[in-house]
Amino acid sequence: MRVTRAVVVMLIAIIVAIGDAHAAASGQSIHFDQANKVFRLDAAKVTYAFGVDDKGRLQSLYWGPRLDASDRLPPAVTPPKADGIDGDINRVRQEYSGWGGGLYYEPGVKITFPDGNRDLELHYQSYSIKGDTLYVALKDIERAIVVTLEYEMDAGTGIVRRSATISNQTATPVVIEQANAATWFLPRSRDYTLRFLSGRWAGENDINERPVQPGKTVLESRRGTTGMQNEPWFAVRRNDADETHGQVWFGALAWSGSWQIAIEQDQVEQVRISGGFNPFDFGYKLAPGASLSTPSFYAGVATDGLGEASRLMHRLELTKILPQAPAPRVRPVLYNSWEATGFKVDEPGQIALAEKAASIGVERFVMDDGWFGARNSDKAGLGDWVVNQQKFPHGLKPLIDRVHALGMDFGLWVEPEMVNPDSDLYRAHPDWVLYMNGRPRTEGRNQLVLNLARADVRAYVYNALDKLLSENDIAFLKWDYNRSWSEPGWPAVAPDEQKNVYVDFIRNYYGILQELRKKHPNVEIESCSSGGGRIDLGVMHLTDEVWTSDNTDAFDRLRIQDGFTQAWTPAVMMAWVTDSPTWVNSRTLSLEYRFLSSMQGSLGIGADLNKWQPQDFATARRLVAEYKAIRKTVQQGSLYRLVSPQNGSEQSATESVSPDRAHAVLFAFLHSSTENYPYPTVHLQGLDANAKYRIHAIAGTFDPRTPLVASGAYWMHAGIDLLMRGDFQAAAVVFDKE
Ligand code: DGJ
């Protein structure tokens, strides 16, 4: 029979008709092509597809720019035999694999059964669609282990959320030794560069790049917490992609415990990116009938470079992740007393600072460490959440009342998961910490980690915070966490259940945050961990902002903030203006420079206001008012990193554009003038080319010949010349649509 074009079209129509299509009101669509056994998700500018192969394995088929609705993805098939040495399983692009059948790459899940079997091969069983989520069930070829994969595509960004739930439907307990949320496959190519973030205390968010080559790069935390040594984020770009052009695949994990993201290129040059619980020291004992859910792993595709990849992440965070999503309130300007007072807090001292803070337009006054128990240094008191009577003889009420009378709300520092051995709590409950019988209890910052996986510890922490929030009019908690784990034992449970602490601790941490938010819906929370040690999409779902770094040197911050915004939105990036010279580098910076550096995120003041002169208050009052006028654009707009501060650059510049493109703000910095070179012309991005924008400078000056009103096209192509000379100069210019 001659197959005519009309017959082909008819056949396609029949196949589409027997497929299951689901187009959600949200704008994403999920489609199952039953004939080819292909699942396809579409949203925004992205298509994601996978299929069931002839053996029943789930295979990745496509992840990239959106395909035409009429495009049919061919079915998944077992790859042709290559050599007899490596089992075929290693060539299959498995969406989610059990460790079994001779697999040499990162598996989705690895399990040890009580009879010693450790082989697991997952085959497709069924699927269902509930709301915007596609559920795909896989089952081992022999044992009653069922893994349910979740897929959800964000309509606004095309970012896919994946996670897996492993159910033990056998009659015996099993131990899960590895559990990833997802494996993502990139298109077959040798042409990739990995970008990732690394750091240390006071030096977060270094940007690193390395070619993707045969072998594996592991980004991870083994610390029980997110950590700042790697951020749980990756980006892989085509080698020719840069900040503004080219294809980028990127993603981030929603988990605040030990995590791992592995980027592997196998021997046939397939690139796999897997992420989930860190398998190091992992061993989750799962009772019969019980299940374990992995964290969610979010990942997306950008076609306009690393800048667009970041903007997509920011949009996801603002509209889907943050507790107030899709419309977070703007962050208030806050004052924090830490750098001014250290542990020496008391009622008159805090009131004096609050009065000065209010005079410059601060909206939230936060008292940091030192207000409770015997907390006069970091050596004692942690765990005893009772107000220190010497420092606050009448409790916190007089301070809070004064703060309110000054027109601000009140915030308080806590570090609920920690205990100093020199505390009433530890003296009463030495077994409440993470420890191993008979072994040393290694201290960090003179403190031990409470075992939040224990029900009694969870109750203590929740009750202490609930009491604090119920008895005091507190609008904000700065929730700190100042050390990583050591000796992560849990002697109160059976030896083979102790490693469950890696999961149960974090689930209880999230549970406490959830319950507190529910009971005290107006309280906002900041995630802090010796600076930026606990920033991930998991904690971001339950907190309103994060502390970026203990390094508040405004020049160092340009680089730290540039790294931060690769993954995280400026809306949550807390940035304080502190004293000069800074404790970090003894570097002297003008107050205006310090303000402009901090105004690129969520503005705070952390300076000792008792040392300020009248002109400092005047500068601060003016810039706080300017910030309030632009903050919605800065916090919730689209960020364009125009000039990078990395690699010893002498300049840097960022631009934020409001979602409706009616407003934009340019921040520009000069490290040091050399050889009389002028500041390079700055070309704006993301404006409406046909609209007219009027400009005014918040700080610094531009060339007097610059038109005050010009088109978006003019600002993007002709640009703006800023007049900056000398060392550590800064300028900020606002663009408003006429
Ligand atoms: C570490 C934080 O990062 C600081 O901002 C401060 O809150 C101290 N802890 C207090 O101990």
Side-chain angles (χ1 to χ4, degrees):
M1 188 184 96
R2 237 183 97 231
V3 183
T4 62
R5 200 181 141 79
V7 172
V8 172
V9 170
M10 202 178 74
L11 282 173
I12 289 174
I14 292 169
I15 291 166
V16 171
I18 59 172
D20 180 3
H22 168 90
S26 63
Q28 62 128 295
S29 81
I30 304 171
H31 181 265
F32 181 51
D33 172 348
Q34 279 177 1
N36 283 347
K37 294 211 179 116
V38 170
F39 293 93
R40 173 172 164 172
L41 293 88
D42 294 273
K45 297 194 295 184
V46 182
T47 296
Y48 187 92
F50 57 96
V52 185
D53 73 14
D54 39 312
K55 296 224 171 87
R57 294 169 304 211
L58 224 53
Q59 286 197 31
S60 165
L61 290 175
Y62 179 81
W63 182 33
R66 190 157 180 166
L67 304 177
D68 191 80
S70 65
D71 291 329
R72 318 292 308 156
L73 284 145
V77 289
T78 299
K81 277 215 170 324
D83 58 57
I85 299 168
D86 242 27
D88 290 345
I89 195 82
N90 293 295
R91 303 173 73 85
V92 178
R93 294 160 65 88
Q94 281 197 86
E95 275 284 293
Y96 198 87
S97 52
W99 182 73
L103 178 70
Y104 302 131
Y105 301 103
E106 290 287 319
V109 56
K110 179 178 186 303
I111 291 181
T112 292
F113 293 87
D115 63 356
N117 172 51
R118 302 183 312 283
D119 186 73
L120 191 76
E121 285 193 56
L122 298 172
H123 283 189
Y124 173 75
Q125 273 221 308
S126 62
Y127 81 96
S128 61
I129 298 169
K130 286 181 208 117
D132 287 342
T133 308
L134 167 66
Y135 298 85
V136 180
L138 311 175
K139 187 183 158 297
D140 178 55
I141 51 175
E142 182 235 347
R143 310 221 165 178
I145 297 292
V146 174
V147 177
T148 305
L149 307 181
E150 289 184 29
Y151 294 83
E152 190 181 357
M153 206 173 198
D154 175 45
T157 59
I159 291 175
V160 181
R161 182 189 71 78
R162 289 184 57 187
S163 66
T165 297
I166 301 141
S167 305
N168 176 12
Q169 297 177 11
T170 73
T172 56
V174 298
V175 177
I176 299 179
E177 287 161 354
Q178 179 160 8
N180 272 323
T183 295
W184 313 89
F185 280 85
L186 301 190
R188 272 192 202 91
S189 168
R190 295 180 185 179
D191 178 37
Y192 293 121
T193 297
L194 169 68
R195 176 174 277 215
F196 62 98
L197 298 170
S198 66
R200 62 194 188 286
W201 177 72
E204 293 87 339
N205 305 324
D206 283 342
I207 298 174
N208 306 271
E209 287 204 338
R210 65 174 66 153
V212 176
Q213 289 175 326
K216 177 159 66 174
T217 295
V218 174
L219 310 176
E220 66 170 353
S221 160
R222 298 182 174 196
R223 301 166 170 266
T225 183
T226 320
M228 56 181 71
Q229 290 65 25
N230 282 150
E231 300 278 315
W233 169 86
F234 75 91
V236 176
R237 62 174 174 87
R238 294 267 190 203
N239 286 337
D240 64 359
D242 58 19
E243 180 70 17
T244 50
H245 299 98
Q247 271 188 305
V248 182
W249 288 261
F250 58 92
L253 274 174
W255 187 241
S256 311
S258 292
W259 59 270
Q260 176 182 288
I261 297 176
I263 298 92
E264 298 176 282
Q265 183 177 312
D266 65 22
Q267 61 174 13
V268 291
E269 293 175 342
Q270 298 187 121
V271 178
R272 311 155 184 249
I273 301 163
S274 314
F277 298 124
N278 193 322
F280 176 81
D281 198 37
F282 197 77
Y284 196 89
K285 187 170 176 192
L286 201 59
S291 59
L292 173 69
S293 291
T294 70
S296 289
F297 196 172
Y298 293 81
V301 182
T303 46
D304 290 328
L306 292 152
E308 191 201 11
S310 298
R311 286 188 291 280
L312 290 168
M313 282 290 293
H314 301 169
R315 193 61 39 214
L316 179 87
E317 290 154 14
L318 288 164
T319 58
K320 283 282 154 61
I321 304 288
L322 284 165
Q324 295 174 12
R329 284 194 293 272
V330 289
R331 302 280 78 230
V333 177
L334 66 72
Y335 178 82
N336 180 294
S337 62
W338 173 246
E339 289 203 20
T341 63
F343 296 95
K344 290 197 181 104
V345 294
D346 59 22
E347 191 181 301
Q350 291 291 299
I351 286 177
L353 286 169
E355 285 167 351
K356 294 187 171 82
S359 77
I360 56 173
V362 164
E363 297 158 309
R364 172 169 289 168
F365 182 84
V366 184
M367 177 161 66
D368 211 280
D369 203 347
W371 59 268
F372 54 91
R375 187 73 169 167
N376 297 315
S377 72
D378 61 17
K379 293 192 171 56
L382 216 46
D384 300 337
W385 299 109
V386 285
V387 178
N388 182 305
Q389 287 297 310
Q390 278 85 52
K391 298 176 184 178
F392 297 91
H394 315 288
L396 297 178
K397 195 169 184 312
L399 171 61
I400 296 177
D401 286 350
R402 184 71 189 124
V403 166
H404 288 164
L406 290 163
M408 301 180 289
D409 66 28
F410 180 77
L412 195 62
W413 179 96
V414 289
E415 191 176 0
E417 298 139 284
M418 299 288 167
V419 65
N420 286 121
D422 184 1
S423 67
D424 293 342
L425 182 69
Y426 188 72
R427 281 183 280 275
H429 300 286
D431 55 333
W432 274 16
V433 296
L434 294 174
Y435 72 101
M436 293 183 185
N437 270 332
R439 308 296 305 169
R441 300 179 181 198
T442 304
E443 293 177 20
R445 206 193 188 206
N446 310 304
Q447 62 198 52
L448 297 166
V449 185
L450 288 171
N451 183 353
L452 207 58
R454 290 175 61 124
D456 45 9
V457 174
R458 185 197 192 285
Y460 173 82
V461 168
Y462 174 80
N463 290 334
L465 293 171
D466 178 43
K467 187 164 185 288
L468 206 55
L469 295 175
S470 303
E471 291 177 356
N472 301 284
D473 194 347
I474 292 172
F476 172 81
L477 287 179
K478 174 177 170 181
W479 185 311
D480 209 342
Y481 186 93
N482 281 307
R483 62 158 295 183
S484 300
W485 294 9
S486 55
E487 301 97 18
W490 183 359
V493 299
D496 63 352
E497 285 172 25
Q498 290 201 16
K499 290 180 180 174
N500 287 23
V501 73
Y502 283 105
V503 175
D504 294 355
F505 184 113
I506 307 301
R507 296 258 183 257
N508 280 349
Y509 166 57
Y510 289 162
I512 292 171
L513 283 167
Q514 256 154 7
E515 278 176 48
L516 285 176
R517 293 197 78 101
K518 196 156 174 237
K519 183 150 180 216
H520 307 276
N522 295 324
V523 174
E524 296 189 333
I525 302 173
E526 174 180 298
S527 172
C528 170
S529 179
S530 308
R534 189 147 70 173
I535 307 175
D536 59 79
L537 294 182
V539 75
M540 207 180 277
H541 195 44
L542 294 160
T543 54
D544 303 272
E545 61 188 45
V546 299
W547 182 223
T548 312
S549 176
D550 277 356
N551 183 342
T552 55
D553 178 284
F555 174 68
D556 281 4
R557 269 299 182 99
L558 298 180
R559 189 199 52 72
I560 292 172
Q561 295 177 175
D562 184 64
F564 182 101
T565 65
Q566 302 290 314
W568 322 120
T569 166
V572 301
M573 183 176 77
M574 288 308 299
W576 299 347
V577 174
T578 54
D579 288 319
S580 179
T582 55
W583 63 267
V584 195
N585 302 310
S586 301
R587 178 184 285 129
T588 302
L589 297 167
S590 74
L591 187 56
E592 201 169 68
Y593 184 102
R594 284 177 270 151
F595 258 97
L596 264 53
S597 172
S598 295
M599 284 163 71
Q600 293 172 99
S602 181
L603 177 66
I605 319 287
D608 185 352
L609 302 180
N610 295 320
K611 293 190 191 139
W612 276 17
Q613 301 304 311
Q615 67 270 25
D616 298 326
F617 284 98
T619 302
R621 204 171 293 121
R622 182 176 71 76
L623 289 172
V624 166
E626 293 280 12
Y627 179 73
K628 287 177 182 170
I630 59 167
R631 68 175 150 188
K632 199 164 168 66
T633 299
V634 169
Q635 294 176 13
Q636 300 181 8
S638 299
L639 175 71
Y640 294 85
R641 294 180 293 250
L642 303 182
V643 183
S644 165
Q646 307 289 341
N647 305 320
S649 165
E650 289 296 332
Q651 301 92 20
S652 73
T654 65
E655 175 201 359
S656 305
V657 182
S658 64
D660 61 2
R661 296 192 294 168
H663 308 282
V665 193
L666 167 68
F667 292 98
F669 299 86
L670 172 65
H671 176 186
S672 182
S673 295
T674 47
E675 298 175 354
N676 200 26
Y677 282 119
Y679 196 86
T681 304
V682 179
H683 297 273
L684 282 281
Q685 293 177 26
L687 299 179
D688 177 350
N690 300 317
K692 292 266 191 280
Y693 292 88
R694 175 178 292 278
I695 62 167
H696 76 269
I698 291 178
T701 48
F702 43 78
D703 187 322
R705 293 169 303 159
T706 310
L708 293 183
V709 180
S711 68
Y714 181 93
W715 300 121
M716 292 192 285
H717 304 306
I720 182 165
D721 287 316
L722 300 163
L723 300 182
M724 280 198 262
R725 278 280 193 279
D727 295 343
F728 301 113
Q729 301 296 308
V733 180
V734 175
F735 296 70
D736 288 316
K737 226 182 205 178
E738 285 256 283

